[in-house]
Amino acid sequence: MHIGVIGATGTIGSRVVTEALQRGHRVTAFSRDVSAITDRRENLTWSDIDVLDAASIAAALPGMDVLISGFQPGNAAKDFEDTVRRSIADPTVYATAARALLKALESHPRTRLIVMGGAGSLELEPGVVRADHDELIHASLDELGLPREYAAAVRGHREALNVLRASDRLWTYFSPAERIGPGERTGRFRVGGDQPVLDADGVSRISAEDAAVALVDEAELPRFVQRRFTVGY
């Protein structure tokens, strides 16, 4: 397959690139500035893209089977605090990116789109979404060490999901586990839908490596077209 990855230098995006290459796929890795990138692995091409501009995205789509977007404002892998600040300053950017991605797909309707989003829109129980309740969001952000103002970004991710849900394109939305970071690639995790997957201690967690496995699994064998999915141990 030919897989595109937006945010290919990010914590999850970089691991999606590696996972896809190891499985023999051809990857176009997108970043805002590719001039300083020296990664020249086989079957890997680097290109710049403006994820907020539908024309820029559409120009990259010919011949692509799946586009995986890990867009975040700023570069979270290099400066996470800057990304947090930018996300708080303009939480609408996630929905704006979703609209641009869907607009680009109008001219390439057979290309599948997988958007990496947030965990705050998952249902804690049927009908109860963390993003709908300040006290639930704040408790989670406190636990994760994020400022409470980041609640605006949590809701911004949810709005991006709502934008996708109104579309008839071949989209999939990925909500990672609440706790995600660099770790081990085990290939062993559970897959869920609209509710978080919790481990034996009641914690929603996944390594970035296993999140990449789940994303490439979905690219290869679509199970959640026009749906959201999540993963956890």
Side-chain angles (χ1 to χ4, degrees):
M1 299 175 66
H2 181 191
I3 299 175
V5 181
I6 294 173
T9 61
T11 300
I12 304 176
S14 62
R15 287 159 173 80
V16 171
V17 170
T18 295
E19 182 71 24
L21 289 174
Q22 288 176 344
R23 299 195 198 186
H25 300 299
R26 182 161 57 98
V27 175
T28 298
F30 296 105
S31 188
R32 293 179 186 84
D33 180 11
V34 299
S35 61
I37 294 175
T38 59
D39 186 352
R40 296 291 180 261
R41 283 175 286 179
E42 188 177 0
N43 293 323
L44 174 61
T45 302
W46 286 91
S47 182
D48 54 11
I49 198 169
D50 182 356
V51 75
L52 303 180
D53 178 30
S56 175
I57 301 165
L61 291 179
M64 191 172 294
D65 298 295
V66 184
L67 176 61
I68 301 175
S69 175
F71 164 74
Q72 290 273 11
N75 188 327
K78 291 184 178 179
D79 191 343
F80 181 72
E81 291 184 359
D82 176 60
T83 291
V84 170
R85 285 192 299 270
R86 289 170 182 255
S87 300
I88 294 169
D90 183 12
T92 67
V93 71
Y94 300 106
T96 300
R99 292 187 186 96
L101 289 161
L102 292 172
K103 180 68 175 177
L105 291 178
E106 289 180 3
S107 56
H108 298 84
R110 301 179 75 175
T111 302
R112 292 182 51 232
L113 170 67
I114 302 176
V115 174
M116 293 185 246
S121 58
L122 290 166
E123 295 182 344
L124 302 182
E125 56 186 72
V128 179
V129 175
R130 193 186 305 277
D132 291 335
H133 303 278
D134 281 344
E135 65 276 14
L136 294 177
I137 294 183
H138 291 164
S140 177
L141 294 175
D142 290 348
E143 188 174 339
L144 295 171
L146 290 168
R148 289 189 171 186
E149 292 80 6
Y150 193 74
V154 174
R155 295 190 173 104
H157 277 296
R158 181 188 58 184
E159 290 310 306
L161 173 58
N162 289 337
V163 167
L164 293 171
R165 282 174 166 163
S167 171
D168 60 358
R169 298 297 163 203
L170 302 179
W171 62 269
T172 297
Y173 188 89
F174 174 69
S175 283
E178 191 168 86
R179 295 185 181 181
I180 183 167
E184 181 184 1
R185 183 197 185 282
T186 71
R188 299 187 302 274
F189 48 82
R190 292 175 293 143
V191 179
D194 288 321
Q195 295 185 351
V197 176
L198 306 179
D199 65 13
D201 297 319
V203 178
S204 168
R205 63 184 184 90
I206 193 77
S207 70
E209 286 77 6
D210 278 340
V213 173
L215 286 159
V216 180
D217 283 350
E218 178 64 20
E220 291 180 338
L221 184 63
R223 297 172 55 194
F224 296 95
V225 176
Q226 295 183 348
R227 295 172 59 196
R228 181 249 297 279
F229 79 104
T230 187
V231 294
Y233 294 125

